[in-house]
Amino acid sequence: MADGQTRETARKPEDDALLSLRDITIGYGTKVIQSDVSLDVRRGSIFAIMGGSGCGKSTILRSMVGLLRPMSGKYSVDGDDYWSGPDSHRTALNRRFGVLFQSGALWSSMTVGENISLPLEMFTRLNKDMIRHLVEMKLGLVGLSHAIDLYPSEISGGMCKRAGLARAMALDPDVLFFDEPSAGLDPVTSARLDDLILTLRDGLGATIIIVSHELPSLFAIADDGIFLDARTKKPIAHGSPRDLRDHCTDPQVHAFMNREARTEPAGADTARKGQNANGK
Amino acid sequence: MTDHEPNSSPADHSSADSPPEWTVKSEANDTTLVVRGRWTIDDGATLSIPAGALTPSHAAAATQTLHVDVSGLGQWDSSLVSFLWTVKQAAAKANMAFDLAQLPDGVQRLFALLPAEPEPPAKHQQRPFAPLQTTGIIALDTLQEVGALTELGAETARGSIKALSGHGGMRLRDLFVNIFDAGPSALLIVSVVNFLIGAILAFVGAVQLRKFSADMYVANLVGIACVRELSAVMTAIIMAGRTGGAYAARIATMLGNEEIDALRVFGIPVSSYILLPSILSLMLMMPLLYLYGCGMSIIGGYVVATGMLPDVTGAGYLNQTLGAIDLHQFEFGFAKSIVFAIMIGLTSCQIGLSAGRSAADVGTAATRAVVVGIVGVIALDAVFAVIANILDI
């Protein structure tokens, strides 16, 4: 199934797509990082952006939240062309987004609680007491209500990430973006984060885009996805991580999804095996 | 049978604890490399086989195989692997097949990771030498930087109007933290520098003016020089090094930490949350520090002049100083220090915002902010001097 969908231009926009990218090319300066990226994120789904290190997963995510203007292509949010119009247009659309950055990216000069209350103070008319209650609730959801008055430098990396998640949820966004949520977390914390993401999706009806190469969590939560290739700088497969693992015929995707170490051409591989066999 | 023994020793050959050594034995169709002893880096093992050590015994013979005899090999580490790798490359050159079968399992595994020979080192990306293009790029970059700076200034100004009209924007706590950092914490260094500047001026002036019996004019010299120029410039230079560098480093770190990205995604204006408190605190503190610096430099001059010159009394010095400087000179210095503050604040924030994302980039940004700040202060001061001259202030 994955191979049938690699012709990007042949993909038709889906009716229930909340976010849709068409032939997006991104890069810095004149350096292209990924080209011809087309994808549709269905409402309420968990969409995974996969690929090896340095293939541009995070860059795609950065462009989807407005931090990097694509060199060409069209990106629409709920049918609205994201990159058209003035900055205020994007700011308005971004109100529907929440982003968890790789490092948590808490504002270091503010306490954990202030990190979450700042967007609420900026964009809502709630009074101080109500904001405090909301902040306590959001921190409670991620198990951090005790850390409300601590500074980011006083809590651990995993806690920063959870606090970052609470901040991403501050304004009850429709769409949550996660940039490598489980990187640097131990397996138990990581599994708990997966549960949390699933609960958020089910409880709040959020649509989730997740950049990751943490296979267990991808298999556990994602129900659609795209696989980017670093060498050809193009997407090479579409589909849910489980489907790609079981059915994708592309050797690179297969190797990635099944966690095989050797991805070189078959010839080099067997030659090495031959050498090893000689020794035994 | 020809033996090639560049590194043999008379010691017991079977001992696995002897120093590392190797020999090449050539027979009819086979060449054997014998490796003996303890091959560890600490033993100073040979790390490569000399060129020409491997030669097929019969030029006419078919492809020969190079075997390795490791029966006398003791302890080994990567030095053996390194040596054998060069042997493998030499064997390939001599058109011999290299038989790994006899080697210890660990060596074989490591060998499987190694390519046939070292890959040519990747070159840094280098732009071809093109002076015109380089000049153009530098010019465009500079223009872009000036444009970004102007935009930043306009945004910050807009943000400050918003903040003043009470429509939110800046967190007052950030402003207070910044004010404390830029003001009271800088008092000591501002005092020391200005006191010494006043003292040095008085000292130099006293030596010269005494020749004309114009001792008392030391007060004029110190007063006018410091109030008009030196206190404003010195204080600004201190603040460029102290606060400007800190701003650039802090903002560059926030950038690398994705904190700036987080602000942008939320649509929270970076100008009012990060820049405004920084620049505003400099604008508020710098003129005060300037006034304080003037006082300190006059005290410095006072101490030296009254100590060095017998004819100068304390009351006389102060009286002479008050007569020499008037309010206009203070206004001039005051205005200058506000302009310096805006310049230092804006450039250091802009340098921080345009920095890269690595730890080294933070250092570069701090250095650049200090250099640009100091040069900028002196250049602006020159502009002020010219303007003052034209307007006859």
Side-chain angles (χ1 to χ4, degrees), chain A residues 17-21 43 64 74-83 89 93-94 96-97 174-175 177:
Chain A
L18 182 57
L19 308 178
S20 124
L21 267 64
R43 219 174 285 271
M64 287 173 87
K74 194 177 169 211
Y75 171 36
S76 42
V77 178
D78 221 353
D80 200 346
D81 188 352
Y82 185 81
W83 288 105
H89 172 70
L93 284 176
N94 271 17
R96 305 179 58 179
F97 293 170
D174 301 343
V175 192
F177 293 86

Side-chain angles (χ1 to χ4, degrees), chain A residues 62 65 67 91 94 97 99 101-110 114 118-119 122-123 151 167-168 170-171 179 272 275-276 278-280, chain B residues 88 99-101 103 105 108-109 111-115 169 171 173-174 254 256-269 273 357:
Chain A
R62 287 172 61 79
V65 298
L67 291 171
T91 311
N94 271 17
F97 293 170
V99 185
F101 288 92
Q102 221 165 82
S103 55
L106 295 180
W107 296 308
S108 45
S109 61
M110 306 177 198
E114 287 170 334
L118 179 63
M122 271 298 279
F123 296 113
Y151 281 92
R167 188 182 65 185
L171 295 168
D179 193 357
R272 269 183 198 170
Q275 280 181 356
N276 273 345
N278 271 346
K280 275 156 199 161
Chain B
K88 188 183 175 189
D99 176 20
L100 293 162
L103 292 174
D105 192 45
Q108 292 192 34
R109 280 162 181 267
F111 249 79
L113 294 177
L114 284 170
R171 279 158 35 100
R173 238 212 19 232
D174 287 347
M254 291 182 75
N257 211 9
E258 296 179 308
E259 289 176 45
I260 304 280
D261 288 342
L263 283 173
R264 288 195 175 131
V265 166
F266 270 117
I268 299 170
Y273 270 83
R357 287 170 182 256

Side-chain angles (χ1 to χ4, degrees), chain B residues 217-267:
Chain B
Y217 285 92
V218 169
N220 296 51
L221 175 71
V222 173
I224 293 176
C226 287
V227 170
R228 246 186 110 86
E229 295 290 339
L230 288 174
S231 283
V233 171
M234 279 306 173
T235 309
I237 286 176
I238 291 167
M239 297 310 276
R242 205 180 161 276
T243 312
Y247 285 172
R250 192 184 68 197
I251 292 173
T253 309
M254 291 182 75
L255 196 69
N257 211 9
E258 296 179 308
E259 289 176 45
I260 304 280
D261 288 342
L263 283 173
R264 288 195 175 131
V265 166
F266 270 117

